[in-house]
Amino acid sequence: MELAGARPHATRGPAGGLAIGLLYSSLLLNAIFLAHHFLLSPSRPLLRDDDGGGSSCGLTWSLQAAREAEAVAAVECSGHGQVFLDGVAGEDGRPGCECNSCFAGPDCSLRTPNCTADADSGNPLFLEPYWRRHAAASAVVFSGWHRMSYTTTGRFQSVELERQIRRLHRAVGNAVADDKHLVFASGSLQLINALVHALSPDATAASPPSRVVAAAPYYPSYRSQTSMFDGREYRWAGTTALWTNASRTNSTDGFIEFVTSPNNPDAMLRKPVLCSSAAAIVDHAYYWPHFTHIPAAADEDIMMFTISKPSGHAGSRFGWALIRDDKVAERALDYLSNSNMGASRDTQLRMLGIVRFMLANLHGEDDIFGFGHGVMRSRWLRLSAVVSRSRRISLQKIMPEYCTYFNRVRQPSPAYAWVKCEREEDGDCYEALLKANIISRTGVQYEASSRYTRISLLKSDDDFDVLMERLQELVDAEKHDDASNGSSSM
């Protein structure tokens, strides 16, 4: 039979025609068999949409969850809000829009007139547009029986997530992680007391309680967490300025110093103030390329991080510590095991997907640090341009610096503006800004002068736009007052 090489005008005999018929019949039977096996067999059911539409590509138990998530994500809320799966259901049984500050209405289309700018919290919503753009790659769906056990591959910690976090530090170049223990927690807030406990003497020991200190201005939760738990092994002992004489005489045994670098609130890179005999817990929450330059990989004995700052997922409540010493790491793990048996297994799975996606796109077009730095740099430039016209308020000075991650000199992009009120009558800077319809966070909370207040630059685009409007009005009013005073004196 010469089917492949048959001449176009050759005459086929009866035997040739029969052979061709048998071949076509065989192909047809094979096609029917394959369709039955892959599409109609019980192990591979053909699923259709509820309305009898197209195929669902073999999805079974995850199909309904995917539909619900897609339906919620498709609601626009006029670009000024979001719908969440766990939102409050309306009369139709569906969750409605949750509007950004200064917006209202069923679809968040109504702008609130003369709205107060809320620049208090460090809610990292500036990264929300990034994850909306990458919804498919960052989505996680898991079954109802996912990790029902108390334990996982590494007791209470995902071994694979540990590996990916170490890869992230190595790739970004912000911390040496490979020679340290990695300890998970429900956000960095839980780590504060876990690490203080791990560094303090045992409650039954004869040693005096550890003294926990920080240099002002410092993150207030160091003080509030230490004071709230009120352990017999440690106590809050104020700012490092109270103990500088002890530091000079090299007698700081029993001290635990919190160091935040970059600092919250002023974005400065910091080192421990007390001498080497004091234990240091270095909080590197903001030591990522979208907030600060990375001069070198940090390599302190104890370092804290939180996912809320590199990825923006503050609501997932996930943090980790890198700890060099075996005994300190074991005591921290014991504390976390006894308090809540480690971070949520569901959260760990979601963070695994997030970290993997971040790693896959480093230095590329979809690099989260490139995106984040672009947003924060733009906000700092806009803020600086407005404040530069004022003699009433000023900002901290931050210089461009070389960054090993970007391999170039990068412009400042701090998470917060540390605002100083310059006029004598503005002794309480928080109150001065509040009169201008700007909610900030007073410097008193950081054990700094009331002449300072912190403004968050991390929130949504809507929040930042309202902040800029109120600041512009403040500066314009100042110029108007100066002009009026000048004309009346002539």
Side-chain angles (χ1 to χ4, degrees):
M1 228 171 34
E2 297 182 358
L3 292 177
R7 292 183 297 274
H9 301 289
T11 302
R12 297 185 178 92
L18 178 62
I20 293 173
L22 289 174
L23 176 61
Y24 287 155
S25 298
S26 176
L27 292 173
L28 179 61
L29 287 172
N30 282 329
I32 293 173
F33 172 77
L34 290 172
H36 181 273
H37 180 71
F38 285 104
L39 300 178
L40 301 179
S41 67
S43 62
R44 295 178 177 84
L46 175 63
L47 297 181
R48 295 185 177 277
D49 296 337
D50 291 340
D51 60 0
S55 168
S56 298
C57 303
L59 297 180
T60 57
W61 55 265
S62 64
L63 182 60
Q64 185 61 33
R67 283 181 177 141
E68 292 175 356
E70 289 277 0
V72 163
V75 181
E76 292 293 337
C77 298
S78 302
H80 302 296
Q82 306 81 26
V83 180
F84 299 102
L85 282 168
D86 61 350
V88 177
E91 294 181 359
D92 60 356
R94 299 178 180 179
C97 290
E98 297 181 19
C99 301
N100 295 342
S101 299
C102 301
F103 288 88
D107 63 349
C108 303
S109 60
L110 303 177
R111 175 69 182 271
T112 306
N114 303 316
C115 179
T116 297
D118 187 348
D120 180 10
S121 79
N123 221 353
L125 295 178
F126 77 102
L127 287 171
E128 187 180 83
Y130 177 87
W131 293 112
R132 282 187 172 275
R133 184 188 306 169
H134 301 294
S138 59
V140 177
V141 178
F142 53 90
S143 65
W145 61 91
H146 169 76
R147 295 292 182 197
M148 291 178 67
S149 170
Y150 287 117
T151 59
T152 180
T153 49
R155 194 181 179 190
F156 300 130
Q157 298 188 176
S158 163
V159 172
E160 181 60 17
L161 180 54
E162 286 188 28
R163 190 174 75 88
Q164 297 298 329
I165 289 174
R166 294 182 193 278
R167 285 188 61 209
L168 183 64
H169 283 302
R170 198 181 310 125
V172 173
N174 67 336
V176 178
D178 292 337
D179 63 342
K180 298 178 182 68
H181 300 277
L182 206 159
V183 176
F184 294 170
S186 298
S188 62
L189 200 64
Q190 189 185 31
L191 284 170
I192 291 174
N193 204 59
L195 295 174
V196 168
H197 166 83
L199 290 170
S200 298
D202 190 273
T204 60
S207 304
S210 295
R211 296 166 176 172
V212 184
V213 297
Y218 60 81
Y219 181 47
S221 290
Y222 304 146
R223 178 183 69 247
S224 61
Q225 286 274 300
T226 305
S227 300
M228 179 177 68
F229 285 98
D230 194 24
R232 289 175 295 174
E233 320 93 85
Y234 52 82
R235 63 182 177 85
W236 179 253
T239 67
T240 54
L242 300 173
W243 306 98
T244 51
N245 288 336
S247 180
R248 293 192 192 101
T249 59
N250 200 34
S251 58
T252 53
D253 289 332
F255 279 80
I256 300 173
E257 180 182 357
F258 274 102
V259 182
T260 316
S261 184
N263 193 36
N264 175 4
D266 60 13
M268 299 294 108
L269 294 182
R270 283 186 163 189
K271 298 290 184 181
V273 174
L274 301 184
C275 62
S276 58
S277 59
I281 301 171
V282 185
D283 188 343
H284 282 307
Y286 296 91
Y287 197 51
W288 297 96
H290 42 9
F291 296 126
T292 186
H293 69 289
I294 307 294
D299 194 21
E300 293 90 1
D301 290 341
I302 303 175
M303 299 182 283
M304 289 171 48
F305 294 89
T306 171
I307 198 65
S308 64
K309 300 309 178 288
S311 79
H313 291 87
S316 293
R317 307 310 306 132
F318 182 74
W320 65 93
L322 298 172
I323 305 173
R324 195 188 309 273
D325 185 82
D326 297 347
K327 292 181 179 178
V328 175
E330 187 59 35
R331 288 202 72 190
L333 280 169
D334 285 344
Y335 177 96
L336 295 165
S337 298
N338 289 326
S339 62
N340 72 343
M341 295 190 181
S344 160
R345 312 305 176 264
D346 296 351
T347 289
Q348 291 186 48
L349 179 64
R350 186 185 189 197
M351 294 305 100
L352 177 60
I354 293 296
V355 173
R356 279 175 170 167
F357 181 80
M358 293 167 64
L359 276 165
N361 291 280
L362 294 184
H363 300 293
E365 182 179 348
D366 294 319
D367 183 357
I368 191 170
F369 300 117
F371 173 89
H373 177 248
V375 174
M376 298 306 294
R377 178 188 60 188
S378 174
R379 291 185 177 187
W380 181 250
L381 288 173
R382 288 178 60 189
L383 178 70
S384 300
V386 172
V387 175
S388 66
R389 298 175 50 236
S390 173
R391 290 184 297 173
R392 185 177 181 181
I393 58 175
S394 62
L395 303 174
Q396 74 268 40
K397 304 298 182 184
I398 305 176
M399 301 301 295
E401 298 279 359
Y402 181 80
C403 178
T404 56
Y405 179 78
F406 290 118
N407 196 27
R408 58 177 169 80
V409 174
R410 67 184 290 287
Q411 296 299 313
S413 56
Y416 305 105
W418 189 228
V419 178
K420 182 181 180 182
C421 285
E422 301 287 354
R423 297 196 315 192
E424 185 177 350
E425 58 267 34
D426 290 335
D428 189 331
C429 199
Y430 168 84
E431 289 294 337
L433 291 190
L434 190 60
K435 291 177 181 177
N437 289 330
I438 300 171
I439 302 173
S440 58
R441 187 171 293 183
T442 175
V444 174
Q445 288 194 30
Y446 302 88
E447 285 206 50
S449 166
S450 62
R451 196 167 285 280
Y452 288 89
T453 195
R454 191 195 78 172
I455 288 178
S456 173
L457 307 180
L458 294 171
K459 299 180 72 177
S460 70
D461 288 340
D462 284 340
D463 286 307
F464 184 74
D465 288 342
V466 174
L467 170 64
M468 294 305 299
E469 289 175 13
R470 300 292 89 83
L471 283 172
Q472 187 68 58
E473 292 167 0
L474 176 69
V475 173
D476 289 344
E478 174 189 347
K479 297 300 181 184
H480 180 268
D481 291 343
D482 288 346
S484 299
N485 294 334
S487 61
S488 63
S489 63
M490 289 179 63

